[in-house]
Amino acid sequence: MLAALPEGVAKARGLALGAEVAAGILALRANDGRNVTLPPYVPGTEPGEFRGIGPGTRIVPFIRPFTLTDAAQFRSPGPPALGSEAYAIAFEEVRTLGGTASTQRTPQQTEAARFHAETPTTYWARNLRQFAKSQSTVAENARLSALIWVSLADSAIGCFESKYHYDFWRPASAVPLADTDGNAATQADPTWTPLGPVPDHPEHPAAHACTSAALQETLSGYFGAGDLSFAFDSTLSGPTHSF
């Protein structure tokens, strides 16, 4: 791409500015915690405890946030207690709608689940690129992109801090082991499997919800009142989703 640009002052200044900013960001984020060494993860064995094996996302809560005072600043209140009515209601919704063999899930719900199963690493980078070209100046495109990516980064850091603080089990454990949760309103199904792959990190809170809500607030704050239309696609589902 650079080779195709004509030589001249504009190209030289652009390259110099890019190198300066990149060097500044690398210096700013040096020793930011992402290289922390943690002891081996020990899966839980008690009701409600996460059963994961060697989750790679354990370092996320240790990464220094960009704008938060610390990763626990907005810690989630936590999942509902295992014996509560709220837990039983959520459990039943997941059991009936989220299983591989569900007969209550609609085709639209199945498609939506598959759509959002693409790895966030590629999903967000590809779909958010459109906002880097949505404004009238390079400066505003850069500003909007910075707002978007900083909000996504910090929401993920805060989200995973909550996840590992509560270390809550996923439905793939909760449904088959429901006879151990102490809740008379939940029914164990040893053959139950989820529609999609099981992420190797604790269940609560949902990372998709954390980052999507952060993006919604960022776009609303930037564009203000009025209509904003955009579309996302997924490598795991054909239809494009419009918002």
Side-chain angles (χ1 to χ4, degrees):
M1 184 186 70
L2 290 174
L5 295 176
E7 298 298 330
V9 175
K11 179 177 180 179
R13 292 181 65 187
L15 288 171
L17 177 61
E20 179 183 346
V21 171
I25 288 294
L26 289 174
L28 177 69
R29 302 303 295 175
N31 303 312
D32 67 354
R34 69 182 62 242
N35 294 319
V36 63
T37 300
L38 299 174
Y41 182 78
V42 180
T45 57
E46 296 297 317
E49 292 183 342
F50 179 53
R51 262 65 171 176
I53 303 296
T57 51
R58 289 175 64 211
I59 67 164
V60 178
F62 296 92
I63 298 175
R64 186 174 74 249
F66 287 84
T67 61
L68 304 180
T69 56
D70 60 71
Q73 182 178 354
F74 298 109
R75 179 181 288 167
S76 163
L82 292 182
S84 67
E85 181 183 6
Y87 177 80
I89 292 173
F91 173 96
E92 189 62 13
E93 181 179 14
V94 172
R95 187 186 71 81
T96 57
L97 295 179
T100 304
S102 172
T103 59
Q104 299 188 35
R105 186 178 59 246
T106 67
Q108 291 81 9
Q109 290 171 325
T110 300
E111 189 279 323
R114 289 174 175 160
F115 184 95
H116 291 287
E118 180 184 350
T119 173
T121 307
T122 55
Y123 175 83
W124 284 123
R126 184 183 65 256
N127 282 301
L128 293 178
R129 188 179 299 134
Q130 61 188 293
F131 293 105
K133 301 181 291 183
S134 65
Q135 301 306 295
S136 59
T137 67
V138 173
E140 273 306 302
N141 282 326
R143 176 172 177 266
L144 175 57
S145 295
L147 289 169
I148 287 172
W149 285 104
V150 166
S151 68
L152 288 181
D154 275 7
S155 64
I157 290 171
C159 191
F160 277 86
E161 193 283 331
S162 289
K163 280 182 177 289
Y164 284 102
H165 175 77
Y166 296 109
D167 219 26
F168 199 62
W169 64 2
R170 302 195 70 91
S173 301
V175 176
L177 299 174
D179 56 343
T180 69
D181 63 17
N183 193 319
T186 62
Q187 179 181 353
D189 182 353
T191 66
W192 189 92
T193 56
L195 174 63
V198 180
D200 197 12
H201 51 72
E203 168 67 19
H204 178 89
H208 277 66
C210 293
T211 52
S212 296
L215 176 63
Q216 176 186 340
E217 291 293 330
T218 300
L219 294 178
S220 297
Y222 183 87
F223 288 100
D227 294 332
L228 172 64
S229 299
F230 55 92
F232 284 177
D233 61 25
S234 171
T235 59
L236 300 183
S237 176
T240 295
H241 289 203
S242 298
F243 302 91

